[in-house]
Amino acid sequence: MASTRLFSLLSVFTLSLLLTTTDASSRSLLPSHETTVLDVVSSLQQTQHILSLDPTLSSLTTTTTTIPGSDPVFLNSSSPLSLELHSRDTLVASQHKDYKSLVLSRLERDSSRVAGITTKIRFAVEGIDRSDLKPVYNDETLYQPEDLTTPVVSGASQGSGEYFSRIGVGTPAKEMFMVLDTGSDINWIQCQPCSDCYQQSDPVFDPASSSTFKSLSCSAPQCGSLEVSACRSDKCLYQVSYGDGSFTVGDYATDTVTFGTNGKVNDVALGCGHDNEGLFTGAAGLLGLGGGALSMTNQIKATSFSYCLVDRDSGKSSSLDFNSVQAGTGDATAPLLRNSKIDTFYYVGLSGFSVGGQQVSIPSSVFAVDASGAGGVILDCGTAVTRLQTQAYNSLRDAFVKLTANLKKGTSSISLFDTCYDFSSLSTVKVPTVAFHFTGGKSIDLPAKNYLIPVDDAGTFCFAFAPTSSSLSIIGNVQQQGTRITYDLANNLIGLSANQC
């Protein structure tokens, strides 16, 4: 009898010990190899850090400088070069009272960008001619309506540009920050004299200060390659308009572009914007890395480029590299696909997802470009949150929700997000793995912080995917963070290398 009672007491004590050493809400329904750990404390600490970051105290926000030393060498198409890459919030001071308002602002910008991308592709697929589109002008615009026919959309909102690099323009070279954008082809900077220029961290470029600045004539092939152009006194004019109504207007010209101490390239075509209005902030302009003829990648004849996007709340930097590595050296590779209707965007061969080690049931046709040019999946560094065609999103979310039934649910929905959790009482939590699967058989697991992100500083985390009614899916920068993405243009491959920032 005594031995039985002792055994019972020991059993109760053991069970009690197990329950007190393991938080019930952090226990997983899955074996350990099908889960990963989210560091809640670290994520929340970063929400405080980014709000307290003062760009004016950063070495990044120095005034425009002339690049010193000996004259940089001229680059050829095989020359490797590397630029530092910085997140938006290391350059632009936060105007938000708390982290939640910052997140909501980011998501609003993000929605404008996605609307611009989907509209641009829809116009290309439907063959809408620019003469059918209405110009966007006001009475104070430097160029009058008869000078330029303007589309409603010919790109995506630069307000959601989240990453910047510093390059030199002109001779002598003046350094300035440029937004990195794989969803745009046209390079442009703000220029004096300004009809309307937004605030940037560097002085506005004065083309009169550059001995190599040359306006392009209306008959120049670069002018003919513009989606929207006009002519005044035999000078080529450009305009690029964005999904939120933002636009840049000015002279289309060429000048020398210098990549730090790596070297320089002569006669790069870029817009010299005298009227730049909308959500642009901080940077001097835009570095177009799209697949079109006028993009920086094509103008310098790069065979590849790669970047690694650090967590934009971390305040750290990484790099943008050209001609440095082939895609096959990464953890996973995927086909780099092209859309015959539009050459700007980089499509990737995506076959599906797995959650907790289990394949999610999604028809492969959901991710395919159809015969008209609609659909497919693009990689975009300027879009934040990955958008999935509604059927694919619902299947992915439902699979994740099924395996997180033990986790405490948070607010039912916040902006784009419909699946949120309350991790306020946890320091870490085990969650199901989420993996991308690519055509060709390769896959890559995402870090937990790339799909469960804080939306406030109180411990609310949301599943960072969103549905779209469009047939186009977009892999955004939240899911790309911490992975070096290589665009092997010579071999039509995308390479993904985890933890290579």
Side-chain angles (χ1 to χ4, degrees):
M1 177 74 73
S3 61
T4 301
R5 185 179 295 111
L6 178 60
F7 176 78
S8 299
L9 288 171
L10 286 171
S11 298
V12 170
F13 174 76
T14 302
L15 179 60
S16 175
L17 183 63
L18 286 171
L19 291 176
T20 56
T21 55
T22 305
D23 189 312
S25 65
S26 68
R27 291 197 304 274
S28 173
L29 300 178
L30 297 164
S32 60
H33 68 280
E34 296 172 352
T35 64
T36 187
V37 174
L38 174 69
D39 189 336
V40 175
V41 170
S42 175
S43 294
L44 293 180
Q45 285 174 341
Q46 286 190 0
T47 67
Q48 296 297 323
H49 170 75
I50 201 65
L51 288 175
S52 62
L53 189 66
D54 185 355
T56 63
L57 301 178
S58 169
S59 60
L60 302 181
T61 53
T62 55
T63 56
T64 300
T65 57
T66 300
I67 296 176
S70 59
D71 196 32
V73 298
F74 287 99
L75 298 171
N76 58 48
S77 60
S78 61
S79 299
L81 61 92
S82 182
L83 298 170
E84 274 201 339
L85 193 58
H86 307 278
S87 66
R88 182 181 202 266
D89 294 300
T90 61
L91 179 63
V92 182
S94 175
Q95 302 298 315
H96 301 281
K97 66 181 187 301
D98 56 39
Y99 188 74
K100 185 173 182 178
S101 66
L102 172 61
V103 169
L104 293 176
S105 174
R106 286 173 172 173
L107 295 178
E108 184 178 0
R109 295 197 309 267
D110 204 44
S111 294
S112 294
R113 180 180 179 87
V114 169
I117 289 175
T118 54
T119 303
K120 181 174 183 177
I121 293 176
R122 180 172 62 83
F123 285 176
V125 168
E126 295 177 1
I128 296 176
D129 189 84
R130 57 192 173 197
S131 62
D132 298 331
L133 306 174
K134 296 180 180 179
V136 183
Y137 283 101
N138 58 49
D139 293 338
E140 297 178 355
T141 300
L142 180 65
Y143 300 103
Q144 298 304 310
E146 61 268 21
D147 294 326
L148 208 57
T149 302
T150 312
V152 174
V153 172
S154 68
S157 171
Q158 259 41 70
S160 50
E162 298 294 344
Y163 293 90
F164 300 81
S165 282
R166 196 162 178 81
I167 66 171
V169 177
T171 304
K174 302 294 177 60
E175 288 190 321
M176 60 192 74
F177 283 106
M178 305 277 280
V179 173
L180 170 70
D181 193 356
T182 54
S184 296
D185 295 322
I186 307 300
N187 311 292
W188 62 267
I189 56 174
Q190 295 199 110
C191 283
Q192 298 283 4
C194 283
S195 168
D196 195 330
C197 288
Y198 59 87
Q199 185 177 359
Q200 63 179 61
S201 60
D202 299 298
V204 175
F205 181 73
D206 183 358
S209 69
S210 172
S211 63
T212 47
F213 180 91
K214 291 176 285 189
S215 294
L216 285 165
S217 70
C218 301
S219 59
Q222 298 98 319
C223 189
S225 296
L226 287 166
E227 186 177 23
V228 181
S229 63
C231 193
R232 174 181 280 179
S233 303
D234 198 35
K235 287 186 178 181
C236 182
L237 310 180
Y238 82 99
Q239 175 161 330
V240 182
S241 301
Y242 299 96
D244 63 345
S246 302
F247 62 88
T248 173
V249 185
D251 300 304
Y252 205 51
T254 62
D255 209 337
T256 298
V257 173
T258 304
F259 298 88
T261 59
N262 292 278
K264 61 184 179 181
V265 179
N266 271 347
D267 300 321
V268 173
L270 72 166
C272 191
H274 301 291
D275 189 355
N276 316 285
E277 301 181 34
L279 293 179
F280 313 118
T281 306
L286 181 135
L287 193 64
L289 298 178
L294 297 175
S295 72
M296 185 62 70
T297 48
N298 272 314
Q299 290 198 61
I300 68 173
K301 298 180 172 59
T303 57
S304 70
F305 70 95
S306 71
Y307 56 74
C308 193
L309 307 179
V310 296
D311 187 323
R312 59 186 176 185
D313 289 338
S314 70
K316 298 177 181 178
S317 66
S318 55
S319 68
L320 164 66
D321 299 329
F322 294 89
N323 303 323
S324 60
V325 68
Q326 290 185 322
T329 59
D331 297 324
T333 56
L336 170 58
L337 307 174
R338 303 289 184 170
N339 188 334
S340 61
K341 294 296 182 70
I342 186 166
D343 53 13
T344 300
F345 300 102
Y346 297 105
Y347 288 74
V348 61
L350 183 70
S351 61
F353 301 89
S354 59
V355 176
Q358 300 298 312
Q359 191 80 22
V360 179
S361 179
I362 302 173
S364 59
S365 58
V366 168
F367 303 114
V369 178
D370 65 23
S372 73
V377 182
I378 66 170
L379 275 168
D380 183 47
C381 69
T383 297
V385 176
T386 290
R387 302 306 204 279
L388 298 174
Q389 189 268 351
T390 302
Q391 179 185 1
Y393 171 76
N394 288 343
S395 297
L396 177 64
R397 178 205 57 203
D398 291 350
F400 191 81
V401 168
K402 182 180 179 181
L403 296 179
T404 55
N406 58 316
L407 300 181
K408 184 179 179 181
K409 298 299 187 288
T411 306
S412 57
S413 63
I414 296 176
S415 186
L416 304 175
F417 304 134
D418 62 13
T419 302
C420 299
Y421 300 87
D422 180 0
F423 295 155
S424 59
S425 63
L426 303 175
S427 57
T428 61
V429 60
K430 281 187 177 181
V431 295
T433 55
V434 173
F436 284 109
H437 293 263
F438 302 101
T439 54
K442 298 295 181 67
S443 64
I444 190 167
D445 288 346
L446 297 179
K449 66 179 182 179
N450 286 27
Y451 55 90
L452 284 168
I453 64 171
V455 294
D456 58 30
D457 55 11
T460 305
F461 284 68
C462 293
F463 189 55
F465 292 83
T468 175
S469 57
S470 167
S471 59
L472 177 75
S473 294
I474 305 173
I475 299 177
N477 62 46
V478 170
Q479 281 66 43
Q480 295 179 47
Q481 287 174 10
T483 299
R484 179 158 291 278
I485 311 290
T486 300
Y487 297 75
D488 189 339
L489 306 176
N491 297 301
N492 290 319
L493 282 174
I494 297 288
L496 301 99
S497 302
N499 303 312
Q500 293 296 313
C501 284

